Amino acid sequence: MILINLLPHREAARKRRREIFYATLGGSALLGGLIAAAVFTWYQAKIGSQQDRNQLLQTEIVRLEAQIKDIATLQAEIAALRARQQAVEDLQADRNLPVHLLNELVRQLPDGVYLTGMRQENQVVTLQGVAQSNERVSELLRNLSYRSEWLTRPELVEVVAGQVTLAPRDQRRVANFSLRVHLKRASEAQAAASAPASAASGAASASARS
C-alpha cells in the first residue's frame, strides 16, 4: 500500500528553521545584553572605587597642603627669630668696634702721617689726614691692606698737594689725603683669625700622618 503525504512539508520545515533562527537570535541578543549589563556594572563599580580613592587622595592633599603651610610659617618664624638673635649677638659683639678701630689706626699709621678727620657710616670709615709725602700715604694703604686684623679693603679717594707753615720762614710741602676703609665685624675678624689656625692644624696633622 503506497502512502502519499499531501501536506506542505517543505513550508513546514522552512517555518521550523525560521523559528529556530529567531529563537537563537533572541537568545544571542539576550545573552549579549546580559554580558553588556555585567560589563557595564563592573566598570561602574571600578569607576566608583577609583572616584572614592581620588576623593580620599584629594582630602589628604588638602590636609598636607595645610600642614605644609604651617611648616612654612614656622620656618619663617624660626628664620626671623634667628635673624633677631644674630642681630643682638652682632650688637653685643660690635660694642668694642670703636676701640678696635682706634687701636688699629694707632698701630697702622706710619711715621709722618697724621689724621685730621674721621667719619663712620655703618662699616665704612672715611679718613682725612696729612702726610709728609705720597710714599707715606702708600705705606698707610699697604698697612691697612695686609697688616690690619680689623681694617680691610682700603680705597684712596684723593691726594692733594699742600703746604704747612711750621714757622714764619719754615713752610713744608705735604700731601692731604682722603681714603675709605672697611671695618670688620667681630664675627668676621674671628673667622679671619681662625682660618690660619685651622689651616696650620690641618698641615700639622697631614705632616704627622706622612
Side-chain angles (χ1 to χ4, degrees):
M1 182 177 184
I2 299 172
L3 297 177
I4 299 174
N5 186 7
L6 300 177
L7 295 175
H9 62 278
R10 293 189 178 87
E11 288 77 3
R14 282 196 293 270
K15 183 178 180 180
R16 283 195 303 272
R17 287 196 298 270
R18 283 197 301 269
E19 291 175 353
I20 293 171
F21 173 75
Y22 289 139
T24 304
L25 183 62
S28 299
L30 179 60
L31 181 61
L34 292 175
I35 293 173
V39 172
F40 177 78
T41 302
W42 182 78
Y43 274 113
Q44 284 295 110
K46 297 291 287 184
I47 292 172
S49 177
Q50 188 62 43
Q51 287 177 346
D52 292 338
R53 294 194 190 97
N54 293 341
Q55 184 63 36
L56 178 61
L57 289 175
Q58 190 66 31
T59 303
E60 292 297 321
I61 289 172
V62 172
R63 185 174 63 84
L64 290 176
E65 286 178 350
Q67 292 179 354
I68 290 172
K69 289 181 180 178
D70 293 338
I71 292 173
T73 303
L74 289 175
Q75 289 178 344
E77 292 177 355
I78 291 172
L81 289 175
R82 287 179 177 173
R84 285 196 288 268
Q85 180 182 0
Q86 186 64 39
V88 172
E89 292 177 355
D90 289 340
L91 287 175
Q92 291 178 350
D94 293 346
R95 287 181 302 176
N96 297 325
L97 284 183
V99 177
H100 293 300
L101 172 61
L102 296 177
N103 185 41
E104 284 297 309
L105 290 177
V106 171
R107 290 175 54 193
Q108 305 305 332
L109 280 179
D111 294 336
V113 178
Y114 307 93
L115 294 180
T116 59
M118 180 174 61
R119 185 178 71 255
Q120 180 179 357
E121 294 181 3
N122 295 326
Q123 301 306 116
V124 179
V125 181
T126 303
L127 303 175
Q128 290 89 26
V130 179
Q132 292 179 351
S133 63
N134 292 337
E135 287 76 11
R136 299 292 186 182
V137 178
S138 299
E139 185 179 355
L140 173 61
L141 291 173
R142 287 194 298 270
N143 291 344
L144 296 177
S145 297
Y146 303 111
R147 296 179 54 187
S148 177
E149 297 180 359
W150 293 89
L151 300 175
T152 183
R153 290 180 291 168
E155 177 186 355
L156 182 63
V157 178
E158 64 176 357
V159 177
V160 180
Q163 289 184 347
V164 294
T165 302
L166 300 179
R169 295 185 180 180
D170 187 6
Q171 291 185 347
R172 296 184 182 182
R173 298 189 63 181
V174 295
N176 298 313
F177 66 89
S178 175
L179 61 86
R180 286 190 292 266
V181 66
H182 288 75
L183 178 61
K184 295 180 182 179
R185 292 188 176 276
S187 58
E188 295 174 347
Q190 291 174 358
S194 62
S198 61
S201 62
S205 61
S207 61
R209 286 196 298 270
S210 61

